[in-house]
Amino acid sequence: MNHKKLFRLYREEKLTVRKRGGRKRAIGTRAPMLIPMAANERWSLDFVSDQLTDGRRFRVLTVVDDCTRECLGLVADTSLSGLRVARELDRIIEERGKPRMIVSDNGSEFTSNAILQWTDRAKVDWHYIAPGKPIQNAFIESFNGRLRDEFLNETLFSSLAHARSALSNWRSDYNDHRPHSGLGWLTPAEFAQTIDPRRDAVLRSRNGSAPQPAASGHKCSNQKPLERTQNWIKLGGKVTKRVGGRRCAETRGGGSTQALCRSGEARMAGIFRRRG
């Protein structure tokens, strides 16, 4: 029996192993996002994991407002399903209001049917970043880095209740007492009270930690203007000037100006000598 007949019998008896298809991803908006200019315009969600002193692991759901940088929620539990995420979002919306858009990665909790049903019921746009591109959710990734470096890596949690209490205290300190360089060294709570949605994003960061741009170059007031009668000719690093029957070349270097002048008669005499 050759291999062709063997494959035909396998197909007829339906003995072929079904190939596993690719992972199904939720359908959401994937258009480029703009910079948020008002509170509740865009929220970011993500998960951070840690463990207790007895070795049990737990996860933390982090929710951040991308405009005011406020931490809206730190939910710690051993298991956080899509239904639990939807309940926590409902609780935050009751306290703060509904966002216009929510950004997250393609995790199974965020692509579950519970989240898809919640977005339809709450009328909130859910934006999924491209797979393997966490930089597209930079606000929550930056916050998670600070949370881990400043708190999770420095604290030992004896129980889940201890972790929840400590997370609540750190969240209060982060929102009310910790200045943010991207907000002009204001705390997120202070910036949320003084934010103006109509101003430009550049004005928001004018007092940030980024260095101020250098002043643009301009012409000095004492610079001598070029006159038409002098017929300036620029060649590389030299500037030549014709005045009458003489040609004067000025080379600038080392802070000094050297003038090399040679008359037209001397040039012609040198040419005749070489020919003779």
Side-chain angles (χ1 to χ4, degrees):
M1 181 183 299
N2 58 12
H3 65 281
K4 294 182 180 179
K5 185 176 181 180
L6 179 63
F7 290 159
R8 179 173 57 83
L9 294 177
Y10 262 70
R11 285 195 300 269
E12 290 177 356
E13 299 296 333
K14 298 181 180 181
L15 298 176
T16 57
V17 179
R18 184 175 61 88
K19 293 183 179 180
R20 183 176 181 180
R23 177 183 173 186
K24 296 182 180 180
R25 303 185 185 276
I27 300 176
T29 59
R30 296 186 185 273
M33 296 182 298
L34 302 177
I35 299 177
M37 299 302 299
N40 290 343
E41 187 170 346
R42 191 175 70 206
W43 293 358
S44 295
L45 275 67
D46 202 0
F47 286 103
V48 179
S49 62
D50 204 350
Q51 65 179 4
L52 305 176
T53 54
D54 57 2
R56 292 186 301 164
R57 300 195 63 84
F58 66 94
R59 305 179 73 189
V60 180
L61 172 66
T62 57
V63 185
V64 173
D65 191 310
D66 291 353
C67 180
T68 62
R69 309 296 201 277
E70 291 178 283
C71 178
L72 307 181
L74 290 175
V75 183
D77 208 335
T78 55
S79 177
L80 293 171
S81 62
L83 188 61
R84 175 68 181 279
V85 172
R87 290 203 306 265
E88 295 298 332
L89 290 176
D90 288 333
R91 180 184 60 81
I92 298 175
I93 288 175
E94 291 179 0
E95 300 175 356
R96 183 181 178 86
K98 184 171 66 175
R100 183 179 302 178
M101 176 185 290
I102 294 179
V103 183
S104 72
D105 56 13
N106 296 270
S108 59
E109 297 84 3
F110 300 136
T111 58
S112 61
N113 292 329
I115 292 297
L116 298 180
Q117 295 174 2
W118 181 87
T119 55
D120 294 338
R121 175 172 52 85
K123 305 299 181 182
V124 176
D125 294 335
W126 199 290
H127 179 94
Y128 294 99
I129 64 175
K133 300 290 184 180
I135 192 62
Q136 295 181 3
N137 203 6
F139 291 102
I140 194 67
E141 294 294 340
S142 176
F143 174 81
N144 290 343
R146 292 184 175 90
L147 174 64
R148 182 168 297 280
D149 294 339
E150 300 177 6
F151 179 68
L152 295 180
N153 291 346
E154 304 295 332
T155 309
L156 295 177
F157 305 106
S158 58
S159 63
L160 192 59
H162 177 210
R164 290 171 178 171
S165 176
L167 285 169
S168 178
N169 295 335
W170 187 88
R171 173 175 170 266
S172 177
D173 179 75
Y174 179 87
N175 290 334
D176 300 331
H177 304 288
R178 188 181 185 279
H180 201 292
S181 61
L183 305 178
W185 297 109
L186 296 176
T187 63
E190 294 174 347
F191 182 78
Q193 297 176 359
T194 60
I195 187 173
D196 186 0
R198 293 175 296 179
R199 63 182 159 179
D200 190 34
V202 178
L203 298 179
R204 284 179 47 199
S205 59
R206 58 188 175 91
N207 295 327
S209 60
Q212 297 294 332
S216 59
H218 60 278
K219 294 183 179 180
C220 299
S221 58
N222 58 354
Q223 184 178 4
K224 183 178 179 180
L226 298 179
E227 300 178 2
R228 294 182 180 178
T229 56
Q230 291 180 336
N231 189 16
W232 291 86
I233 303 174
K234 296 184 178 180
L235 299 173
K238 299 181 181 180
V239 179
T240 61
K241 177 175 62 176
R242 297 181 184 271
V243 180
R246 299 174 59 83
R247 182 180 179 218
C248 181
E250 296 179 2
T251 58
R252 295 177 174 82
S256 63
T257 304
Q258 298 177 353
L260 303 177
C261 298
R262 184 166 51 179
S263 63
E265 294 82 3
R267 280 189 286 113
M268 296 301 297
I271 293 174
F272 288 132
R273 285 196 299 269
R274 288 194 296 270
R275 287 183 178 179

